[in-house]
Amino acid sequence: MSIKADKIWAPSPTTSRGLPTQLSSDPKGERIAYAVGAESKINNKSIFLRSIDNPSHSTQYTGHNTATTVARFSPSGYYIASGDVSGTVRVWDAVGEGLTKGEYHIIGGKINDLCWDGDSSRLIAVGEGKERFGHCITADSGNSVGEITGHTAQLNSVSVRQQRPLRAATAGDDSSVVFYHGAPFKFNTSLRGQHNRYIYGISFSPDGSLLVSVGADKKIWLYDGKTGEVKGQIGEGQHTGSIFSVSWSRNSKTFATSSADQTVKLWDASAEKCVQSWRLGEEGSVSVPDHQVGVTIPQGRSDGLILSLNLAGDLSYLVEGSQKPQKTVQGHQKNITAASVSQYGTSGTTLWTGSSDGRLCSWDIAKGSTERIDGETHNNYVSGVEVSNGRVYSVGWDDTLRSVDPQANTFIGGAIKTDGQPKGVAVIEKKTIVATHKGIEVFTEGHKTGELKTKFSPLTIAASEKLIAIGGDDNVLHICSISSSSLSPQKSIHEPSSLITALNFSPDQSLLAVGCSNGKITVYKCGDWAVETSRWSSHTGRVTSIAWNASGTHAASSSLDTNIFIWSVAKPGTRVSVANAHKDGVNAVTWVDNSRIVSTGGDVAVKLWKVEGLV
């Protein structure tokens, strides 16, 4: 047997309300780079490089040891510089296998922004430092090539003029723009009085003639790119919300801004006027998720494409002359906690995923594209997703059971309240069984038709046609039978040595796989409940899910130890594994068909794997 990586489907960029999110595009205009993610209470340590024209194609860099914050392509396109919350910058290969070229500690706090010089040889990194707010280094060795001084608060943005004589500019929470001459970079002048609130973005034009700054005061200021002299303010009053980001077109004639007023505007720098404005979100409504927090104009393209990012993580593809986005790319922003596949084994296979922020998404596995489920979703952790009878069912820590119409890709009916916090969900024909911390509840067509109060707190659940398996906090496997409206305890198995965290019946319902918090998996025969095998014990962390293939001959398992295993029933000692499948733990794994599995994890990515030579 063998298992190898097939595809990585990237998450949406991490965003945080009231703060900019940095996007970077390569010199050819083919890929974008972004961090996922240091904000919003997640601790992801990944950088994703994603194809612009085919967003389902992406690569992942996992070299950081703390949550990542920003990534920037070098002007040559061969390298990426990325920063994290510890103040560390890593330089790595953008066109090969992502090998790390250098690791440098810059400041004693989070890196907010990075910029390369025109030779791809020097870097300036800025952020929330303690002793200093930024530093200038060489990209190949980390040697100092200048100092960042003149500020009294954290820095949010930095830009380096790509032509000689070299110039650099920084801006941040002290409302000032500081201009530097280099290299080595030295303080030249501090420009105060233009902005009166935080400055979020600053950028030199590609030809080096102009510098632009934008901020929370809704103002746009232009400066001479060589001398730093203030040229004037443009577009006063046109943005009605904080301006988070700015990006120049390659001809240096126009630049784009993104704002909390839900608009992206394209400006003519010489005419000092707006030439087009896009308002994202529903017409006439105010929507916080549609705040535009990041923007980039990919260089090297001739189609005038502008990519804008909203607070919800949606990437909108905008083109001058068209008022509507060409397309919108959606996805998850938080830890993906649950997954299930519908239309198993057909060409129209769909993956359904839920995340810790309550978001549900559907994935077209053939195309690698994703859409958010429309309608009123969960507002907290999604603890289970199941598919049956043309419906998708989900439960979350908002104590609700919800259903989705797969054809319309929308929630249907209202949220059904449960008596306790749901831990998992299973579906038998028209019955939906929910395990909560208080017991088991049975719902039929949206109505509660039965329940079983337990002395233990259920942690996970699985169902066959006539049986329900429950893993509780008492380290006991509980087997119940189910009738039209009642649950009856049948057997208790005390052999598990630790908490039961994953359960799944084989497709023919002859076997039950039981995964535990100590990493061990035991397979029982349904009926006499004898042990079929207890040799599936290679995980070193909590087993998070177990999935059988269609023939029931093999099972895949995932764990917080970051690994995925494929197990054989006939040959229990035969197994294959993927180490570090998801850096922050694997939360779910499921079969697409007999030769492919899909996994989700704490890195917010969805990964497709090819499985060959099953024995």
Side-chain angles (χ1 to χ4, degrees), residues 12 20 125 139 148 200 213 242 250 305 376 392 482 503 516 534:
S12 296
I148 300 300
Y200 288 134
S213 64
S242 297
R250 65 174 181 172
L305 179 67
E376 184 181 354
V392 179
I482 183 170
L503 294 166
C516 297
S534 58

Side-chain angles (χ1 to χ4, degrees), residues 25 203 212 245-249 254-257 266 295-299:
S25 54
S203 181
V212 62
S245 186
V246 60
S247 179
W248 285 90
S249 62
T254 58
F255 61 87
T257 55
L266 186 65
V295 68
T296 183
I297 301 178
Q299 307 293 304

Side-chain angles (χ1 to χ4, degrees), residues 418-424 433-443 448 450-461 468 470-471 480 487:
T418 58
D419 288 342
Q421 185 182 83
K423 301 295 185 179
I433 300 100
V434 179
T436 75
H437 76 288
K438 294 182 179 179
I440 307 300
E441 299 178 51
V442 181
F443 298 89
K448 186 173 179 179
E451 66 178 340
L452 175 66
K453 296 294 185 182
T454 59
K455 295 182 180 180
F456 59 90
S457 291
L459 300 177
T460 184
I461 188 171
I468 293 177
I470 308 164
C480 298
L487 295 166

